[in-house]
Amino acid sequence: MKTEQDRQQLIKEINVLLHQAYDSTLDEIYALLKRIDDMEDEEDLLAIEEAREDIRINGTVSWEEIEEEIRNDRHKDVA
């Protein structure tokens, strides 16, 4: 993941190139970005569905179970 400063610099450089691009190139870039966004949305929805299915099949873990696991891990590290 990029730092905020890296992101801002990249956006500035992209903007310079966008301002120099032909209209047809802008249309192609927009279409490509839209497809990427749609694919990411689909991946997110699939991940949510998979997580829900996992919860349905395996159930959920209670907070008490998580705390117990953390305590056990701490005891293992000390030993």
Side-chain angles (χ1 to χ4, degrees):
M1 181 171 248
K2 294 188 179 299
T3 66
E4 186 61 28
Q5 184 177 0
D6 291 339
R7 287 180 54 82
Q8 291 302 321
Q9 182 60 37
L10 185 57
I11 290 169
K12 286 178 185 177
E13 291 172 16
I14 290 170
N15 273 325
V16 168
L17 295 173
L18 288 174
H19 286 288
Q20 297 171 356
Y22 294 113
D23 288 343
S24 61
T25 303
L26 292 174
D27 292 337
E28 291 175 25
I29 292 169
Y30 176 78
L32 177 61
L33 290 173
K34 184 69 175 136
R35 279 198 314 266
I36 292 169
D37 189 45
D38 291 345
M39 287 174 24
E40 289 174 347
D41 288 347
E42 288 177 23
E43 290 171 359
D44 290 345
L45 291 175
L46 181 61
I48 290 169
E49 289 176 22
E50 289 173 351
R52 285 181 178 161
E53 183 65 11
D54 183 59
I55 289 170
R56 186 185 68 75
I57 293 170
N58 300 315
T60 60
V61 178
S62 70
W63 180 245
E64 290 79 20
E65 291 173 296
I66 294 170
E67 288 176 324
E68 181 67 26
E69 188 174 316
I70 291 170
R71 278 194 295 276
N72 289 338
D73 286 344
R74 284 185 185 156
H75 292 298
K76 289 178 186 175
D77 290 341
V78 173

